[in-house]
Amino acid sequence: MLRLTRRAEYGLMAMAFLAGRSESHISVREIGNNLAIPKRLLAEVLKDLARGGLVEGARGPNGGYRLLAEPELLPLGRVVEVLEGPIHVADCADGGSCEHESGCAIQHGMRFVAGRIKQVLDQSTLSDLLESAPAAAPTPPPQRMPV
Amino acid sequence: MLRLTRRAEYGLMAMAFLAGRSESHISVREIGNNLAIPKRLLAEVLKDLARGGLVEGARGPNGGYRLLAEPELLPLGRVVEVLEGPIHVADCADGGSCEHESGCAIQHGMRFVAGRIKQVLDQSTLSDLLESAPAAAPTPPPQRMPV
DNA sequence: TTGAAGAGCATGAGATTAGTGCTAAATTAG
DNA sequence: CTAATTTAGCACTAATCTCATGCTCTTCAA
Ligand code: SF4
Ligand code: SF4
């Protein structure tokens, strides 16, 4: 239904929160208190982000999570993929396969549209999300599909 | 999960099929035979498209569906909205509301990203989908978010 | 040693979607 | 008029996915 999951959004909110204080580790409890998100679920999301290498977890007192990537260089698509898996607007898009692939008249066009959507996420960075002006920077050049 | 539903895709395939022969009405049976889609479901999808005013249904022998809109002027987003409802990449986007709205640090940026994604669908037309070169035409100008 | 915190795994409840069944209404052909 | 064709409308089941939570184990600092 062309919609981000809660997990992805919680993850983005958490990453954005961490982007501010990257000096020390911040606990799930503190993040959750600030973002009004179910803490237990937020913990699960952060675990996944840690597995994906986007944040670093530290146990024990004074433990928590710390941002690893640089906000200016971290595409939102990366975060989404870590939390939701590969982004496939349509089955055939981005390396995926579809049973209708042979003989689907819109396949080519579909792939292109799906690619453009993925581009939006790949060209917006975490810092863009915070500056509330994502993709203002790169603005892709005019693109024509290779026929 | 940032993905189009089957219904939307079936609808787009059907619309693309109808785009070719817009002179007469084509039955669900014939469309289904050509597209290898569960006919019963395809019928449901086409009914929704008819309700949405995108196609016109005619009953009886020689009945079927006929494209109403002009492929060059019909945005894909329109088709998707008719079949899936309003496009909300995030809850707060595009007029929607979210419980975290107050105090969400990424809300502004999120809305903008969601808007860009919606733009991709709104700027690609049905004929673009067929030509396998959607959005090659308009290529939006550089945009900066009003802060 | 103790308490704070993440890591890992599992599970239940809820929402959404895919797909099907059935009946009624309209329309055309004979 | 009758029969066949085809859409219109509604309901329903099964599968899938997401949200959310519970419990245990490990790590680590004080
Ligand atoms: S566009 Fe065609 S090939 Fe691609 S996922 Fe949709 S149906 Fe399959
Ligand atoms: S960005 Fe913030 S306000 Fe918008 S939907 Fe996500 S949580 Fe809600």
Side-chain angles (χ1 to χ4, degrees), chain A residues 6 9-10 13, chain B residues 90-93 97-102 104-108 110-111:
Chain A
R6 286 282 178 203
E9 223 176 308
Y10 291 163
M13 292 171 77
Chain B
D91 282 357
C92 68
S97 69
C98 165
E99 48 180 346
H100 303 107
E101 253 176 271
S102 66
C104 174
I106 66 172
Q107 181 184 7
H108 199 198
M110 197 68 198
R111 279 191 165 137

Side-chain angles (χ1 to χ4, degrees), chain B residues 4-7 10 38 40-41 44 47 59-62:
Chain B
L4 290 174
T5 61
R6 286 283 178 201
R7 287 172 57 87
Y10 291 164
R40 186 65 190 70
L41 180 54
E44 215 67 20
K47 259 184 289 187
R59 312 196 209 188
N62 304 324

